[in-house]
Amino acid sequence: MPTPHYGQPRYRAIAEELRRRIEIGNITPGTLLPAESALMAEFRASRGTVRSALAELRRTGFAMTAHGRGTVARLQAAPAPTESEADGPAVQSSLESRHTPAGDDLARLFGIQPEERVLEVQVVTRENGIVRSVVRTYSLTEED
Amino acid sequence: MPTPHYGQPRYRAIAEELRRRIEIGNITPGTLLPAESALMAEFRASRGTVRSALAELRRTGFAMTAHGRGTVARLQAAPAPTESEADGPAVQSSLESRHTPAGDDLARLFGIQPEERVLEVQVVTRENGIVRSVVRTYSLTEED
DNA sequence: AGAAATTTGTCCGTATGTATC
DNA sequence: AGATACATACGGACAAATTTC
């Protein structure tokens, strides 16, 4: 089989699919993801590709891996409002991440080219549904 | 050849050797490290192992890799003399803030116009002089 | 401008080591 | 001890970005 990765590589597509399952709740945060061998079978991918996908999930904060145990989906806060609760402000946060070109300012700080991509993790915090703060954390894209 | 990695894996030993060369100045920061093919020959290691070593250098902030160009040793900012020296990485942070136009993305989140200004607080964290993360926190400028 | 060479990126398969259950 | 799961290492092949000629 050739190795075409038009647009986006396979390991990233797998990572996105797994992230989707975690966000949907299909994979409950705190529980184990399927083993690498299971993911290999499901996605018909090699071990290396599956491991790259899991590495991507770790980088973006959606999973943590322990030797001999497995990869655990990390909880993303957001205990589901359920309102009532007398009155305490309903605070929720959402997290998302992406690879984006650094731009001039960040490029100068990191010592890279503006076109180079960095990892951006964005946390949006809402109070009673109103956006109160947006925190963007930038770091260099690290592999493996 | 078998695959014993007593104590420390091979890729990490290679990474440490390269890091030593950078620190000594044997490899001038800002210049290219030897290509993966050259490192394979020198350390008699497979490409995967060499790439793991380079990934380690990126993680630890000693290198940055660009597709098709090579891996560049990153410059180490001033060692920041002063103080105890103790041990453990020297972590420093600088903070600055400014009012800046929201832009499209933030405007959509906050429900304002893109030209409207928001407060941006930026914290740059350096480890041994190397920029590790840039955190930008946006919030609406509160008027009294 | 274009072709070739160089260099890193992705993917596959296999084997063995190490940690946990 | 055995089974399961992740970690390290090898080898080969093709894709994509950059540089060189």
Side-chain angles (χ1 to χ4, degrees):
Chain A
M1 219 198 278
T3 316
H5 37 282
Y6 304 113
Q8 104 172 333
R10 191 136 159 60
Y11 74 85
R12 202 167 292 178
I14 295 176
E16 283 187 12
E17 169 60 22
L18 292 175
R19 177 180 55 74
R20 186 158 38 242
R21 293 182 191 177
I22 294 175
E23 289 178 335
I24 297 299
N26 204 329
I27 297 179
T28 308
T31 66
L32 288 171
L33 274 74
E36 293 175 357
S37 55
L39 295 175
M40 288 172 65
E42 174 181 356
F43 292 102
R44 241 77 60 100
S46 75
R47 179 115 187 271
T49 300
V50 166
R51 284 178 60 78
S52 289
L54 294 177
E56 183 84 355
L57 287 181
R58 286 193 293 271
R59 277 196 294 277
T60 52
F62 286 92
M64 254 300 294
T65 300
H67 192 171
R69 290 195 2 124
T71 299
V72 182
R74 291 184 60 192
L75 35 157
Q76 306 280 4
T82 66
E83 77 247 331
S84 58
E85 202 65 39
D87 57 83
V91 180
Q92 309 170 282
S93 288
S94 63
L95 182 152
E96 56 185 23
S97 63
R98 59 176 183 145
H99 295 272
T100 181
D104 290 339
D105 292 344
L106 291 174
R108 191 161 26 249
L109 283 168
F110 282 114
I112 62 177
Q113 297 301 313
E115 308 80 16
E116 301 263 25
R117 289 175 177 276
V118 294
L119 175 63
E120 177 191 272
V121 177
Q122 174 174 289
V123 177
V124 178
T125 300
R126 293 178 172 81
E127 200 174 321
N128 296 320
I130 304 170
V131 173
R132 279 311 180 85
S133 72
V134 177
V135 180
R136 290 175 176 170
T137 302
Y138 298 92
S139 58
L140 289 180
T141 309
E142 305 162 0
E143 277 95 62
D144 297 84
Chain B
M1 220 197 279
T3 318
H5 38 284
Y6 306 115
Q8 129 171 312
R10 192 136 159 60
Y11 74 86
R12 202 166 296 174
I14 296 176
E16 283 187 11
E17 168 59 23
L18 293 176
R19 175 180 56 74
R20 187 157 37 239
R21 293 183 190 177
I22 295 175
E23 288 178 333
I24 297 299
N26 205 330
I27 298 179
T28 308
T31 67
L32 288 172
L33 274 74
E36 293 175 358
S37 55
L39 295 175
M40 288 171 65
E42 175 181 355
F43 292 101
R44 240 77 59 102
S46 73
R47 184 150 177 240
T49 299
V50 166
R51 285 178 60 78
S52 288
L54 294 176
E56 184 84 354
L57 286 181
R58 286 192 293 271
R59 271 196 295 274
T60 51
F62 286 92
M64 249 302 293
T65 301
H67 192 174
R69 288 193 2 118
T71 298
V72 182
R74 290 186 66 200
L75 38 155
Q76 308 264 12
T82 74
E83 108 271 353
S84 48
E85 206 69 43
D87 58 275
V91 179
Q92 312 170 286
S93 287
S94 62
L95 181 150
E96 54 187 351
S97 63
R98 60 174 181 153
H99 293 275
T100 181
D104 290 337
D105 292 344
L106 290 174
R108 191 162 24 249
L109 283 168
F110 282 112
I112 61 177
Q113 296 303 313
E115 309 80 17
E116 300 262 359
R117 287 176 176 275
V118 294
L119 175 63
E120 176 191 271
V121 178
Q122 173 174 288
V123 178
V124 178
T125 300
R126 292 179 173 82
E127 200 175 327
N128 295 321
I130 303 169
V131 173
R132 297 305 300 269
S133 71
V134 177
V135 180
R136 291 175 175 168
T137 302
Y138 298 92
S139 58
L140 291 179
T141 51
E142 315 175 354
E143 54 263 3
D144 38 330

